Amino acid sequence: MTATELLASVQAELAPRDRENRLVPLITAGEAPRSVFATIAAEELRIVRSDWRSCLTLASRSEEPAVREFFADLAAGERLALGKLPALAAAAGLDEAAIDAYEPQAGCQAYPAYFAWLALNGEPSDVVTALYSNFAAWGSYCAAITGAMREQYGFDDEACAFFDFFASPAPGQHEQAAAAVQTGLDAGRGDREARRYARLFQSYELMFWNTLADQPG
């Protein structure tokens, strides 16, 4: 199996569960409370900082240049994304005091906690497979949300910039991910752990959205 075939296989295995996200359909229909965007902003301010560190840790642990480059580029993207969150928070009605007072929810912070665990314990090339396999769903959620933010909730471009950033794949990202994954396959690593990581990433991703869907309006 080539890296491209492995990535496609894992994405195909995960795809049916992507529809279990209960919050995004509510947002696209304009049925989610506007306050959900304040909660997303407050949670993401913590998540992105953590994911940025996790990417840097994985880059530092990676011996193969292709894997190191993949995580270094992801870290740079997380840094850019973090800079777009204050506008979302402000548009959703959060000031610095409200952000500091916000208590994060376990169901929302499970994803970055698992990513941080993988940053210390996972084989980097396997983590590439798991992360990239979740990108398609994450990107589709962001594209749906950013459209609804404008059409259903009246947010401006600056407020939507965080979701705009992730709505389309970065140029060359697939080729970069495939090159990184191929290093693991060339080293004789199987795909069992990568598939396990991917399944858990997806579960924690869905937990984030469904935790928010279940909170009172």
Side-chain angles (χ1 to χ4, degrees):
M1 181 179 293
T2 67
T4 297
E5 290 169 341
L6 175 58
L7 291 171
S9 173
V10 176
Q11 285 185 330
E13 288 177 7
L14 298 180
R17 285 200 66 207
D18 292 340
R19 293 187 292 274
E20 295 177 20
N21 184 323
R22 298 197 302 276
L23 180 63
V24 171
L26 293 176
I27 291 175
T28 57
E31 297 175 0
R34 189 181 179 87
S35 61
V36 76
F37 297 104
T39 305
I40 290 173
E43 295 286 353
E44 287 289 355
L45 280 165
R46 290 164 172 81
I47 291 170
V48 175
R49 289 190 185 100
S50 178
D51 288 355
W52 183 6
R53 295 186 185 99
S54 294
C55 289
L56 290 172
T57 300
L58 282 157
S60 70
R61 289 183 55 220
S62 302
E63 297 181 0
E64 293 292 338
V67 182
R68 187 163 55 247
E69 181 181 353
F70 177 84
F71 285 115
D73 283 357
L74 279 190
E78 295 292 339
R79 178 181 61 81
L80 292 174
L82 185 62
K84 300 178 186 300
L85 279 169
L88 173 61
L94 290 180
D95 57 19
E96 289 188 11
I99 292 170
D100 289 342
Y102 178 80
E103 292 296 331
Q105 301 181 60
C108 294
Q109 295 299 316
Y111 179 101
Y114 181 60
F115 192 7
W117 184 90
L118 284 178
L120 296 177
N121 297 284
E123 172 61 37
S125 64
D126 288 342
V127 181
V128 174
T129 301
L131 272 177
Y132 184 80
S133 298
N134 192 50
F135 283 174
W138 166 246
S140 69
Y141 299 154
C142 289
I145 289 170
T146 197
M149 286 178 70
R150 291 179 169 92
E151 297 169 10
Q152 302 285 1
Y153 297 90
F155 284 102
D156 62 18
D157 289 345
E158 189 176 11
C160 297
F162 175 77
F163 290 108
D164 285 342
F165 182 74
F166 291 110
S168 300
Q173 190 173 68
H174 174 75
E175 292 77 12
Q176 190 180 45
V181 171
Q182 192 65 49
T183 64
L185 296 178
D186 291 345
R189 291 191 57 79
D191 60 355
R192 182 178 180 184
E193 284 300 298
R195 292 177 188 275
R196 178 177 291 150
Y197 295 164
R199 176 179 57 80
L200 288 170
F201 260 135
Q202 183 193 47
S203 295
Y204 292 130
E205 170 87 18
L206 290 170
M207 188 183 295
F208 171 86
W209 298 108
N210 292 337
T211 294
L212 299 180
D214 292 339
Q215 70 180 11

